Amino acid sequence: MIDVQGLSKRFGDTAVLNGIDLTINDGERIVVIGPSGTGKSTLLRCLNFLDMPESGRLRIGDLELDVAKAGKADILAVRRRTAFVFQNYALFANKTARENITEALIVVQKRSRIDAEARADEILRETGLADKADVYPAALSGGQQQRVGIGRAMALDTELMLFDEPTSALDPEWVGEVLDLMRRVAERRQTMLIVTHEMQFAREIADRVIFMEGGRIVEQGSPQQLFDHPQDPRTREFLKRVG
Amino acid sequence: MQALDIDYMLGLVPVLLGYIPLTLGMATAAMVLALILGSLLAVERVVKVPVLDTLVMLFISFFRGTPLLVQLFLFYYGLPQVLSFLTQINGVTAAVMGLTLHFAAYMAESIRAAIIGVDRSQWEAAQSVGMTQTQMMRRIILPQAARVAAPTLVNYFIDMIKSTSLAFTLGVTEMMGATQKEAAGSFLYFEAFLVVAILYWIIVEALSQVQKLLETRLNKAFAR
Ligand SMILES: Nc1ncnc2c1ncn2[C@@H]1O[C@H](COP(=O)(O)OP(=O)(O)OP(=O)(O)O)[C@@H](O)[C@H]1O
Ligand SMILES: [Mg+2]
């Protein structure tokens, strides 16, 4: 289980997260929606310590900490319990598709090369990229790169997978294949926290949808509740605008 | 104007060729050491360890800000007077040390620029999978920076080969020192120095070809 309490973050004088409280059950798939600049990315980045949160408590499985007091070891521990899928893929440019997946397994998790490569090949098959194993990211399409990005995150077997607008940078023709892969990840009851503008997709896979605005969680509920019967005027306003 | 003594020049070539191993040896040793030191300095300049950072900046500023010849004299003739354990230092060691420190300072700046040029997404991806700072640098950032810095670093190596000629001022008989001796014996200064100039030129041209090959190879590997 993941438990976030009073998570806050400011950039200079602007408060970007204002005390986020969020409990995520094992296997739960949560979609976060909300207007631009509301802190959705920042929330995900703080859960992976890519951005340093300022205050709040964080519990991921057996790890519990006061984020304000997090030291180097805590930061690594949190990062090793969460996996991040980036909007711009962020594949290691000097590594092939297979190496992108094995890299952290070997270097961070200290698994043997043979073991890591077997796992990578398994994942490349699942993501439909078996024939691209030895190709560098620059020679892959956006959709293929993002599937490797998701594969790299899957291989880590973390307690939480974070997706920050994984299809927003893609040409429309590649969006479908990436969403399909995410559906397959979701079917395994992998705990997921997803920021996306794909409302139909959210409806299909989310156990819970969260609407954020101004660094706060305004409203949350099942997709039916939130999309069909939004309670807060701000949620209604936002949903009307995105159609 | 007198005619060039071609026979003398041709006779000098095999003599001077015998000194190429020493010249290239000094340059290669200094290059390897300067690459290691330069990378460490560059990483420090990026990570900025308090106090150490000031020392590193001072080091780089000094070795870029003073002539190589002055640095070599400082090492070879000066330092043993204040540090008694250095009395045994020979010219070759002093030259390699001097070249290392001098070129490390220059390389540090190029490598630092290349490191900073690596896209932010690469740093974040490495952090997100839980790599330590050292793992991130060694496995992701430095290899990508090396690719950008490689042509500049080969230029420094070329410069380094030419700079080994200064070792003759420390009493080392390398290619330049040997030429000096030969010329003093024959009084054919123009012929002797022309031969050695052409030899340096050929070595550098050969390296420039290697540099071109290297660049095409690097560009064919992962693209940006
Ligand atoms: N590194 C940073 N430095 C300063 N301000 C930042 C930084 N990162 C984000 N911000 C600010 O924090 C606020 C929240 O940004 P964030 O990226 O979390 O929003 P978002 O909800 O993900 O928006 P979008 O839908 O556009 O991706 C914005 O006002 C943004 O300008
Ligand atoms: Mg965002």
Side-chain angles (χ1 to χ4, degrees):
Chain A
M1 199 185 69
I2 290 131
D3 192 39
V4 180
Q5 269 176 34
L7 194 73
S8 297
K9 166 75 183 171
R10 49 175 62 243
F11 285 112
D13 288 343
T14 27
V16 178
L17 296 179
N18 293 298
I20 299 281
D21 296 323
L22 176 63
T23 302
I24 308 174
N25 296 313
D26 287 337
E28 200 177 6
R29 293 143 309 191
I30 300 182
V31 166
V32 182
I33 60 171
S36 183
T38 322
K40 304 181 298 293
S41 295
T42 307
L43 170 62
L44 263 56
R45 293 169 58 85
C46 281
L47 293 179
N48 189 243
F49 275 116
L50 283 175
D51 283 336
M52 294 301 149
E54 270 165 24
S55 56
R57 295 198 65 80
L58 183 58
R59 185 146 72 94
I60 305 179
D62 57 352
L63 179 79
E64 193 175 355
L65 67 140
D66 176 348
V67 299
K69 298 194 183 111
K72 264 189 194 168
D74 299 314
I75 291 170
L76 284 182
V78 168
R79 287 183 179 155
R80 289 169 186 181
R81 283 173 168 76
T82 52
F84 206 101
V85 176
F86 296 87
Q87 181 172 348
N88 60 0
Y89 337 127
L91 297 184
F92 302 129
N94 58 329
K95 307 273 171 193
T96 62
R98 186 197 277 112
E99 289 166 348
N100 261 276
I101 299 172
T102 57
E103 183 66 14
L105 300 184
I106 295 169
V107 173
V108 178
Q109 298 186 351
K110 311 289 181 204
R111 289 161 70 167
S112 73
R113 176 169 298 278
I114 295 177
D115 188 22
E117 283 179 353
R119 179 80 178 114
D121 287 338
E122 195 175 284
I123 285 187
L124 286 168
R125 270 196 305 278
E126 280 176 56
T127 53
L129 292 166
D131 56 331
K132 301 289 180 193
D134 298 318
V135 175
Y136 285 95
L140 295 173
S141 75
Q144 290 167 337
Q145 287 190 61
Q146 191 58 297
R147 277 145 66 198
V148 176
I150 294 172
R152 174 174 71 184
M154 284 162 71
L156 295 170
D157 269 322
T158 56
E159 279 161 82
L160 175 64
M161 264 174 95
L162 302 158
F163 295 77
D164 190 12
E165 300 199 31
T167 58
S168 295
L170 291 173
D171 287 341
E173 53 181 323
W174 309 124
V175 171
E177 65 188 40
V178 170
L179 292 181
D180 280 344
L181 178 56
M182 288 174 67
R183 277 188 199 99
R184 263 177 285 138
V185 176
E187 274 163 20
R188 302 195 193 149
R189 305 219 60 88
Q190 159 75 49
T191 315
M192 300 161 91
L193 187 59
I194 306 165
V195 175
T196 183
H197 296 302
E198 299 284 340
M199 298 300 166
Q200 186 51 43
F201 174 76
R203 232 178 227 282
E204 275 172 51
I205 74 147
D207 299 305
R208 187 171 14 145
V209 179
I210 290 177
F211 174 71
M212 268 181 79
E213 197 183 82
R216 288 192 175 79
I217 294 178
V218 171
E219 185 173 354
Q220 52 183 311
S222 69
Q224 290 73 25
Q225 281 171 342
L226 199 109
F227 288 125
D228 302 334
H229 308 288
Q231 300 300 305
D232 196 283
R234 287 167 290 181
T235 318
R236 281 190 219 133
E237 177 60 28
F238 173 76
L239 288 174
K240 213 181 330 165
R241 251 189 307 123
V242 299
Chain B
M1 187 180 149
Q2 283 182 319
L4 284 180
D5 189 338
I6 302 285
D7 286 343
Y8 173 74
M9 289 172 73
L10 290 176
L12 195 54
V13 170
V15 178
L16 294 186
L17 284 181
Y19 290 93
I20 284 188
L22 180 58
T23 288
L24 288 186
M26 285 197 296
T28 308
M31 183 69 188
V32 171
L33 294 173
L35 265 179
I36 296 170
L37 180 59
S39 303
L40 291 174
L41 294 173
V43 169
E44 194 295 319
R45 289 290 291 125
V46 173
V47 179
K48 294 197 199 304
V49 184
V51 187
L52 187 59
D53 194 47
T54 313
L55 295 176
V56 169
M57 276 200 308
L58 209 64
F59 175 94
I60 292 176
S61 167
F62 177 80
F63 281 97
R64 285 173 43 131
T66 52
L68 176 56
L69 187 60
V70 174
Q71 293 165 15
L72 290 176
F73 276 34
L74 203 54
F75 273 115
Y76 187 64
Y77 299 110
L79 270 192
Q81 292 189 338
V82 276
L83 302 172
S84 48
F85 63 88
L86 282 179
T87 41
Q88 304 299 330
I89 194 170
N90 69 32
V92 173
T93 314
V96 169
M97 260 174 62
L99 289 169
T100 298
L101 299 182
H102 182 81
F103 280 90
Y106 276 94
M107 290 180 185
E109 288 296 292
S110 314
I111 298 172
R112 185 183 78 103
I115 291 175
I116 291 173
V118 174
D119 197 85
R120 204 170 71 108
S121 69
Q122 299 294 309
W123 302 71
E124 294 196 337
Q127 287 168 346
S128 81
V129 299
M131 285 191 195
T132 62
Q133 182 124 299
T134 317
Q135 290 168 340
M136 170 175 74
M137 279 294 173
R138 247 184 29 147
R139 315 248 342 157
I140 307 299
I141 305 301
L142 285 179
Q144 294 187 47
R147 187 172 160 269
V148 176
T152 318
L153 296 178
V154 178
N155 279 340
Y156 282 130
F157 186 49
I158 287 173
D159 209 2
M160 182 104 85
I161 290 172
K162 292 185 287 183
S163 301
T164 55
S165 61
L166 291 175
F168 104 94
T169 62
L170 309 185
V172 179
T173 312
E174 39 64 71
M175 219 159 65
M176 179 64 192
T179 312
Q180 167 76 26
K181 279 185 188 160
E182 290 289 334
S186 65
F187 293 107
L188 293 172
Y189 287 101
F190 185 74
E191 279 88 344
F193 289 123
L194 186 59
V195 169
V196 80
I198 290 171
L199 285 182
Y200 277 116
W201 191 12
I202 291 173
I203 296 172
V204 169
E205 268 311 305
L207 255 168
S208 303
Q209 294 307 314
V210 175
Q211 185 178 25
K212 273 190 202 134
L213 274 174
L214 184 76
E215 268 177 63
T216 7
R217 282 272 307 265
L218 285 172
N219 285 333
K220 250 193 291 184
F222 61 96
R224 261 197 94 73

